[in-house]
Amino acid sequence: MVDASTAGGLDKLTGDKALTDVPVDPGEMRDGMKLVTGNYGDVKGAPVLFEGVDHVPEDTNKRREHLFRGMLEHIQWDPELGNPQAEPVETGPLGGSVECLLASLSEDGNVICGWADEGTAAVALFENSTLADAGKLFVAMRADLER
């Protein structure tokens, strides 16, 4: 993974909108693993929060699930509202598995997308989005972030 200056056509935000800490626990980090985080966006919309880990030695699907849970905690999702179900998304040329879940009671709102493949796992939070729009943008971002 790379700390890309642009991802999916969105710029990595700096200044007041830059990410200053790691808001979601990435899980146990071991020697050789790399954590990539950042806010991506433009002046029009809410930033897209991205967090990914590479050289993951365990099952990357389990690491993605850990990241999904952390992102739900980050947005303060109330578990009494139920557990949002992840839906598969077309992965694009990088393969692996890509899923998105809607953490909202309406058809749009907070969407969390994640990928898992051989060695990497990542998630991103798309505010005020739909599953289809977030999934498409996430796959485009992945093409710039996973090298």
Side-chain angles (χ1 to χ4, degrees), residues 79-126:
E80 290 186 16
L81 298 174
N83 290 323
Q85 296 300 308
E87 297 181 19
V89 172
E90 178 59 43
T91 63
L94 295 175
S97 170
V98 178
E99 298 178 344
C100 294
L101 60 85
L102 178 62
S104 172
L105 297 178
S106 64
E107 291 182 17
D108 63 358
N110 289 323
V111 178
I112 303 169
C113 293
W115 85 65
D117 62 18
E118 192 173 318
T120 66
V123 293
L125 171 63
F126 301 85

Short mmCIF file of all heavy atoms in Angstrom, two decimals, residues 79-126:
data_model
loop_
_atom_site.label_atom_id
_atom_site.label_comp_id
_atom_site.label_asym_id
_atom_site.label_seq_id
_atom_site.Cartn_x
_atom_site.Cartn_y
_atom_site.Cartn_z
N PRO A 79 -25.72 -0.33 18.36
CA PRO A 79 -25.99 -1.73 18.05
C PRO A 79 -27.45 -2.13 18.23
O PRO A 79 -27.90 -3.11 17.65
CB PRO A 79 -25.10 -2.51 19.01
CG PRO A 79 -24.16 -1.53 19.61
CD PRO A 79 -24.73 -0.17 19.40
N GLU A 80 -28.19 -1.37 19.02
CA GLU A 80 -29.62 -1.67 19.19
C GLU A 80 -30.40 -1.46 17.90
O GLU A 80 -31.50 -1.96 17.74
CB GLU A 80 -30.21 -0.82 20.32
CG GLU A 80 -29.71 -1.25 21.69
CD GLU A 80 -30.40 -0.52 22.82
OE1 GLU A 80 -31.47 0.09 22.58
OE2 GLU A 80 -29.87 -0.57 23.93
N LEU A 81 -29.81 -0.72 16.95
CA LEU A 81 -30.45 -0.52 15.65
C LEU A 81 -30.22 -1.71 14.72
O LEU A 81 -30.74 -1.74 13.61
CB LEU A 81 -29.91 0.75 14.99
CG LEU A 81 -30.19 2.05 15.75
CD1 LEU A 81 -29.49 3.22 15.07
CD2 LEU A 81 -31.69 2.30 15.85
N GLY A 82 -29.41 -2.67 15.17
CA GLY A 82 -29.10 -3.85 14.36
C GLY A 82 -27.67 -3.80 13.87
O GLY A 82 -26.96 -2.82 14.05
N ASN A 83 -27.26 -4.88 13.26
CA ASN A 83 -25.93 -4.97 12.68
C ASN A 83 -26.03 -4.80 11.18
O ASN A 83 -26.63 -5.64 10.50
CB ASN A 83 -25.27 -6.31 13.00
CG ASN A 83 -24.92 -6.43 14.46
OD1 ASN A 83 -24.51 -5.47 15.08
ND2 ASN A 83 -25.08 -7.62 15.02
N PRO A 84 -25.47 -3.71 10.64
CA PRO A 84 -25.52 -3.53 9.19
C PRO A 84 -24.84 -4.71 8.48
O PRO A 84 -23.80 -5.19 8.93
CB PRO A 84 -24.74 -2.24 8.95
CG PRO A 84 -24.69 -1.55 10.27
CD PRO A 84 -24.75 -2.63 11.30
N GLN A 85 -25.45 -5.15 7.41
CA GLN A 85 -24.91 -6.29 6.66
C GLN A 85 -24.11 -5.80 5.46
O GLN A 85 -24.58 -4.98 4.69
CB GLN A 85 -26.05 -7.19 6.19
CG GLN A 85 -26.82 -7.83 7.33
CD GLN A 85 -25.94 -8.71 8.21
OE1 GLN A 85 -25.24 -9.58 7.71
NE2 GLN A 85 -25.96 -8.46 9.50
N ALA A 86 -22.90 -6.33 5.33
CA ALA A 86 -22.04 -5.98 4.21
C ALA A 86 -22.54 -6.68 2.95
O ALA A 86 -22.96 -7.83 2.99
CB ALA A 86 -20.60 -6.37 4.50
N GLU A 87 -22.49 -5.95 1.84
CA GLU A 87 -22.88 -6.49 0.55
C GLU A 87 -21.67 -6.49 -0.38
O GLU A 87 -20.89 -5.54 -0.37
CB GLU A 87 -24.00 -5.64 -0.05
CG GLU A 87 -25.26 -5.65 0.78
CD GLU A 87 -26.37 -4.82 0.16
OE1 GLU A 87 -26.32 -4.54 -1.05
OE2 GLU A 87 -27.30 -4.45 0.90
N PRO A 88 -21.51 -7.55 -1.19
CA PRO A 88 -20.35 -7.60 -2.09
C PRO A 88 -20.42 -6.52 -3.16
O PRO A 88 -21.50 -6.13 -3.60
CB PRO A 88 -20.43 -8.99 -2.70
CG PRO A 88 -21.80 -9.50 -2.43
CD PRO A 88 -22.36 -8.73 -1.30
N VAL A 89 -19.24 -6.06 -3.55
CA VAL A 89 -19.08 -5.04 -4.59
C VAL A 89 -18.11 -5.61 -5.62
O VAL A 89 -17.18 -6.34 -5.26
CB VAL A 89 -18.50 -3.74 -3.97
CG1 VAL A 89 -18.14 -2.72 -5.03
CG2 VAL A 89 -19.47 -3.15 -2.96
N GLU A 90 -18.31 -5.27 -6.89
CA GLU A 90 -17.37 -5.68 -7.94
C GLU A 90 -15.99 -5.17 -7.57
O GLU A 90 -15.80 -3.98 -7.31
CB GLU A 90 -17.81 -5.12 -9.29
CG GLU A 90 -16.89 -5.46 -10.43
CD GLU A 90 -16.72 -6.95 -10.65
OE1 GLU A 90 -17.72 -7.68 -10.60
OE2 GLU A 90 -15.56 -7.38 -10.86
N THR A 91 -15.00 -6.07 -7.55
CA THR A 91 -13.68 -5.74 -7.01
C THR A 91 -12.79 -4.94 -7.95
O THR A 91 -11.84 -4.33 -7.51
CB THR A 91 -12.91 -7.03 -6.66
OG1 THR A 91 -12.70 -7.78 -7.85
CG2 THR A 91 -13.65 -7.84 -5.64
N GLY A 92 -13.06 -4.98 -9.23
CA GLY A 92 -12.15 -4.35 -10.17
C GLY A 92 -10.97 -5.27 -10.42
O GLY A 92 -10.97 -6.44 -10.03
N PRO A 93 -9.91 -4.76 -11.06
CA PRO A 93 -8.80 -5.61 -11.49
C PRO A 93 -7.94 -6.17 -10.36
O PRO A 93 -7.17 -7.10 -10.59
CB PRO A 93 -7.98 -4.68 -12.39
CG PRO A 93 -8.32 -3.31 -11.93
CD PRO A 93 -9.75 -3.37 -11.48
N LEU A 94 -8.06 -5.65 -9.15
CA LEU A 94 -7.19 -6.11 -8.06
C LEU A 94 -7.69 -7.37 -7.37
O LEU A 94 -6.99 -7.95 -6.55
CB LEU A 94 -6.96 -4.98 -7.05
CG LEU A 94 -6.20 -3.78 -7.61
CD1 LEU A 94 -6.14 -2.67 -6.58
CD2 LEU A 94 -4.82 -4.18 -8.06
N GLY A 95 -8.92 -7.77 -7.66
CA GLY A 95 -9.44 -9.02 -7.11
C GLY A 95 -9.67 -8.95 -5.61
O GLY A 95 -9.94 -7.90 -5.05
N GLY A 96 -9.56 -10.11 -4.97
CA GLY A 96 -9.84 -10.18 -3.55
C GLY A 96 -11.33 -10.09 -3.30
O GLY A 96 -12.14 -10.58 -4.08
N SER A 97 -11.69 -9.41 -2.24
CA SER A 97 -13.08 -9.26 -1.85
C SER A 97 -13.32 -7.82 -1.43
O SER A 97 -12.55 -7.27 -0.64
CB SER A 97 -13.38 -10.21 -0.68
OG SER A 97 -14.63 -9.94 -0.12
N VAL A 98 -14.37 -7.21 -1.96
CA VAL A 98 -14.75 -5.85 -1.58
C VAL A 98 -16.21 -5.90 -1.13
O VAL A 98 -17.05 -6.50 -1.80
CB VAL A 98 -14.59 -4.85 -2.75
CG1 VAL A 98 -15.04 -3.46 -2.33
CG2 VAL A 98 -13.15 -4.82 -3.24
N GLU A 99 -16.48 -5.27 0.01
CA GLU A 99 -17.83 -5.23 0.56
C GLU A 99 -18.12 -3.83 1.08
O GLU A 99 -17.21 -3.13 1.53
CB GLU A 99 -17.98 -6.21 1.72
CG GLU A 99 -17.77 -7.65 1.35
CD GLU A 99 -17.88 -8.59 2.53
OE1 GLU A 99 -17.82 -8.14 3.69
OE2 GLU A 99 -18.02 -9.79 2.28
N CYS A 100 -19.39 -3.45 1.04
CA CYS A 100 -19.83 -2.18 1.61
C CYS A 100 -21.06 -2.43 2.47
O CYS A 100 -21.86 -3.32 2.17
CB CYS A 100 -20.18 -1.17 0.52
SG CYS A 100 -18.80 -0.62 -0.49
N LEU A 101 -21.19 -1.65 3.52
CA LEU A 101 -22.37 -1.74 4.37
C LEU A 101 -22.91 -0.34 4.62
O LEU A 101 -22.16 0.63 4.69
CB LEU A 101 -22.07 -2.48 5.67
CG LEU A 101 -21.02 -1.94 6.63
CD1 LEU A 101 -21.58 -0.89 7.56
CD2 LEU A 101 -20.46 -3.09 7.45
N LEU A 102 -24.23 -0.26 4.72
CA LEU A 102 -24.92 1.00 4.98
C LEU A 102 -25.22 1.09 6.47
O LEU A 102 -25.97 0.28 7.00
CB LEU A 102 -26.21 1.07 4.16
CG LEU A 102 -27.07 2.31 4.34
CD1 LEU A 102 -26.33 3.57 3.90
CD2 LEU A 102 -28.37 2.16 3.55
N ALA A 103 -24.61 2.06 7.13
CA ALA A 103 -24.83 2.28 8.56
C ALA A 103 -25.75 3.49 8.71
O ALA A 103 -25.36 4.55 9.18
CB ALA A 103 -23.50 2.49 9.28
N SER A 104 -26.98 3.31 8.24
CA SER A 104 -27.97 4.37 8.25
C SER A 104 -29.35 3.73 8.21
O SER A 104 -29.50 2.62 7.71
CB SER A 104 -27.77 5.27 7.02
OG SER A 104 -28.82 6.19 6.90
N LEU A 105 -30.34 4.43 8.69
CA LEU A 105 -31.70 3.92 8.64
C LEU A 105 -32.42 4.34 7.37
O LEU A 105 -33.54 3.93 7.13
CB LEU A 105 -32.48 4.38 9.88
CG LEU A 105 -31.93 3.85 11.20
CD1 LEU A 105 -32.75 4.39 12.37
CD2 LEU A 105 -31.90 2.34 11.23
N SER A 106 -31.76 5.16 6.54
CA SER A 106 -32.34 5.55 5.26
C SER A 106 -31.51 4.92 4.14
O SER A 106 -30.55 4.21 4.40
CB SER A 106 -32.38 7.07 5.13
OG SER A 106 -31.06 7.59 5.13
N GLU A 107 -31.88 5.19 2.90
CA GLU A 107 -31.19 4.58 1.75
C GLU A 107 -29.84 5.21 1.47
O GLU A 107 -29.08 4.72 0.64
CB GLU A 107 -32.07 4.66 0.51
CG GLU A 107 -33.29 3.77 0.61
CD GLU A 107 -34.13 3.81 -0.64
OE1 GLU A 107 -33.64 4.27 -1.69
OE2 GLU A 107 -35.29 3.39 -0.56
N ASP A 108 -29.56 6.32 2.12
CA ASP A 108 -28.24 6.91 2.02
C ASP A 108 -27.81 7.36 3.41
O ASP A 108 -28.60 7.38 4.34
CB ASP A 108 -28.18 8.06 1.01
CG ASP A 108 -29.08 9.23 1.40
OD1 ASP A 108 -29.78 9.14 2.43
OD2 ASP A 108 -29.09 10.22 0.67
N GLY A 109 -26.54 7.67 3.55
CA GLY A 109 -26.01 8.05 4.86
C GLY A 109 -24.57 7.59 4.94
O GLY A 109 -23.82 7.66 3.97
N ASN A 110 -24.18 7.08 6.11
CA ASN A 110 -22.82 6.59 6.29
C ASN A 110 -22.67 5.22 5.65
O ASN A 110 -23.38 4.28 5.99
CB ASN A 110 -22.48 6.47 7.78
CG ASN A 110 -22.31 7.82 8.44
OD1 ASN A 110 -21.79 8.75 7.83
ND2 ASN A 110 -22.74 7.93 9.68
N VAL A 111 -21.75 5.11 4.71
CA VAL A 111 -21.42 3.84 4.08
C VAL A 111 -19.98 3.51 4.40
O VAL A 111 -19.10 4.37 4.27
CB VAL A 111 -21.63 3.89 2.55
CG1 VAL A 111 -21.23 2.57 1.91
CG2 VAL A 111 -23.09 4.22 2.21
N ILE A 112 -19.75 2.29 4.84
CA ILE A 112 -18.40 1.82 5.12
C ILE A 112 -18.09 0.72 4.12
O ILE A 112 -18.85 -0.24 3.98
CB ILE A 112 -18.28 1.27 6.56
CG1 ILE A 112 -18.68 2.35 7.57
CG2 ILE A 112 -16.87 0.76 6.82
CD1 ILE A 112 -18.86 1.83 8.99
N CYS A 113 -16.98 0.89 3.40
CA CYS A 113 -16.54 -0.12 2.44
C CYS A 113 -15.21 -0.68 2.90
O CYS A 113 -14.42 0.03 3.54
CB CYS A 113 -16.38 0.49 1.05
SG CYS A 113 -17.93 1.01 0.29
N GLY A 114 -14.98 -1.94 2.58
CA GLY A 114 -13.71 -2.56 2.94
C GLY A 114 -13.27 -3.56 1.90
O GLY A 114 -14.08 -4.14 1.19
N TRP A 115 -11.95 -3.75 1.79
CA TRP A 115 -11.43 -4.79 0.92
C TRP A 115 -10.53 -5.70 1.73
O TRP A 115 -10.00 -5.32 2.77
CB TRP A 115 -10.71 -4.24 -0.31
CG TRP A 115 -9.24 -3.87 -0.17
CD1 TRP A 115 -8.20 -4.73 0.09
CD2 TRP A 115 -8.67 -2.59 -0.29
NE1 TRP A 115 -7.01 -4.04 0.12
CE2 TRP A 115 -7.27 -2.71 -0.11
CE3 TRP A 115 -9.18 -1.33 -0.56
CZ2 TRP A 115 -6.40 -1.63 -0.18
CZ3 TRP A 115 -8.31 -0.26 -0.62
CH2 TRP A 115 -6.95 -0.42 -0.43
N ALA A 116 -10.40 -6.92 1.25
CA ALA A 116 -9.47 -7.90 1.82
C ALA A 116 -8.95 -8.72 0.66
O ALA A 116 -9.70 -9.14 -0.21
CB ALA A 116 -10.18 -8.80 2.83
N ASP A 117 -7.66 -8.90 0.61
CA ASP A 117 -7.05 -9.76 -0.39
C ASP A 117 -5.81 -10.40 0.22
O ASP A 117 -5.63 -10.34 1.44
CB ASP A 117 -6.75 -9.00 -1.69
CG ASP A 117 -5.75 -7.87 -1.53
OD1 ASP A 117 -5.01 -7.83 -0.52
OD2 ASP A 117 -5.70 -7.00 -2.40
N GLU A 118 -4.99 -10.97 -0.58
CA GLU A 118 -3.81 -11.65 -0.06
C GLU A 118 -2.83 -10.63 0.49
O GLU A 118 -2.08 -9.98 -0.24
CB GLU A 118 -3.14 -12.45 -1.18
CG GLU A 118 -2.09 -13.39 -0.66
CD GLU A 118 -1.56 -14.29 -1.75
OE1 GLU A 118 -2.35 -14.78 -2.56
OE2 GLU A 118 -0.34 -14.48 -1.78
N GLY A 119 -2.90 -10.40 1.81
CA GLY A 119 -1.94 -9.54 2.47
C GLY A 119 -2.42 -8.16 2.86
O GLY A 119 -1.76 -7.49 3.64
N THR A 120 -3.55 -7.67 2.32
CA THR A 120 -4.00 -6.33 2.69
C THR A 120 -5.47 -6.33 3.10
O THR A 120 -6.27 -7.15 2.66
CB THR A 120 -3.83 -5.31 1.54
OG1 THR A 120 -4.69 -5.66 0.46
CG2 THR A 120 -2.40 -5.22 1.06
N ALA A 121 -5.79 -5.37 3.98
CA ALA A 121 -7.17 -5.13 4.39
C ALA A 121 -7.31 -3.63 4.62
O ALA A 121 -6.40 -2.99 5.14
CB ALA A 121 -7.51 -5.90 5.67
N ALA A 122 -8.45 -3.08 4.21
CA ALA A 122 -8.65 -1.64 4.33
C ALA A 122 -10.13 -1.34 4.42
O ALA A 122 -10.97 -2.13 3.97
CB ALA A 122 -8.04 -0.91 3.14
N VAL A 123 -10.44 -0.18 5.01
CA VAL A 123 -11.82 0.32 5.07
C VAL A 123 -11.83 1.81 4.80
O VAL A 123 -10.81 2.49 4.96
CB VAL A 123 -12.50 0.04 6.43
CG1 VAL A 123 -12.72 -1.43 6.67
CG2 VAL A 123 -11.75 0.68 7.58
N ALA A 124 -12.98 2.31 4.41
CA ALA A 124 -13.18 3.74 4.23
C ALA A 124 -14.61 4.10 4.61
O ALA A 124 -15.52 3.29 4.41
CB ALA A 124 -12.88 4.16 2.79
N LEU A 125 -14.77 5.29 5.14
CA LEU A 125 -16.07 5.82 5.52
C LEU A 125 -16.48 6.90 4.53
O LEU A 125 -15.74 7.87 4.33
CB LEU A 125 -16.01 6.41 6.93
CG LEU A 125 -17.23 7.20 7.40
CD1 LEU A 125 -18.47 6.31 7.48
CD2 LEU A 125 -16.94 7.87 8.74
N PHE A 126 -17.65 6.70 3.93
CA PHE A 126 -18.22 7.66 2.99
C PHE A 126 -19.49 8.23 3.63
O PHE A 126 -20.47 7.51 3.80
CB PHE A 126 -18.57 6.97 1.67
CG PHE A 126 -17.40 6.33 1.00
CD1 PHE A 126 -16.99 5.05 1.36
CD2 PHE A 126 -16.68 7.01 0.03
CE1 PHE A 126 -15.90 4.45 0.75
CE2 PHE A 126 -15.57 6.42 -0.57
CZ PHE A 126 -15.19 5.14 -0.22
#
